[in-house]
Amino acid sequence: MTVSNEVPLLHTFMPAFLGFEAVTLKQVSRFRQLVWMRVRLPPPFAPRDVVIDAMGVDCLGEPEPGIMIVVRTPEPDAWPGVDLDAPSDRRDAGWTVRATVALAGAFVAPGGSAEPATSSFVNLVNIDPNLRFLPTWLFNWLNRKLVWYAFDAFRRQVKTLHTDGLSDAYLDRIRDQRDTVYDELDRRLAPWEHKKDNVDAYPPGWSNGGTTAEDGDARADDGEETKLATL
């Protein structure tokens, strides 16, 4: 969850040829962000950028527990006062074409009692990169390749952090957001801290479905940031 939540660090593990950039335009709530992203395409195509509304949804109390991430491109007038164009310091890269995400999502299911600890990650993307005059087969091939490279980089980063521990960059981000984001993630993932795979293990006062847990619950101890890389 740390890898997907920390937008400023996404570019650090994406393949260099993608020229990946990402900037949070607005932190709507602790688990919802408006994000601008840009990638390079192979010549002769111009780079593509996109704005997404990404929201995390707590499904841990469901029969098949997990965390869902829902993503779509907002309507141009959906956020008055928020500039949905490229950030001012990223507008010098020449011609860029705007892509659109009709709907995308990911479902992360915490690992159970299996060893080594694993989690499942299911991803679905419906994106229009605004590539006109291309044969359908080439259009679909390019879409699949871009998504595959990005997902493979994400998977490798999660594996690296799980094996080697969180880097200083991630630790600094977690400490800065400990009270607002990561304490809440720790509480919501508590039933799986010791590889429990029983939904009945929810602690007292747990919010069983998308609302915030009650205030006053025990906070996670400092130094436990590494467990957040296991998803």
Side-chain angles (χ1 to χ4, degrees), residues 28-51:
V28 180
S29 63
R30 70 176 121 194
F31 300 129
R32 186 177 184 183
Q33 303 181 51
L34 294 179
V35 179
W36 171 86
M37 296 186 293
R38 179 165 59 195
V39 296
R40 287 198 300 257
L41 297 185
F45 304 110
R48 260 54 182 177
D49 73 347
V50 66
V51 172

Side-chain angles (χ1 to χ4, degrees), residues 87-111:
S88 58
D89 61 342
R90 308 295 178 98
R91 297 178 187 177
D92 57 353
W95 183 37
T96 299
V97 177
R98 178 59 55 96
T100 303
V101 175
L103 182 64
F107 188 80
V108 184

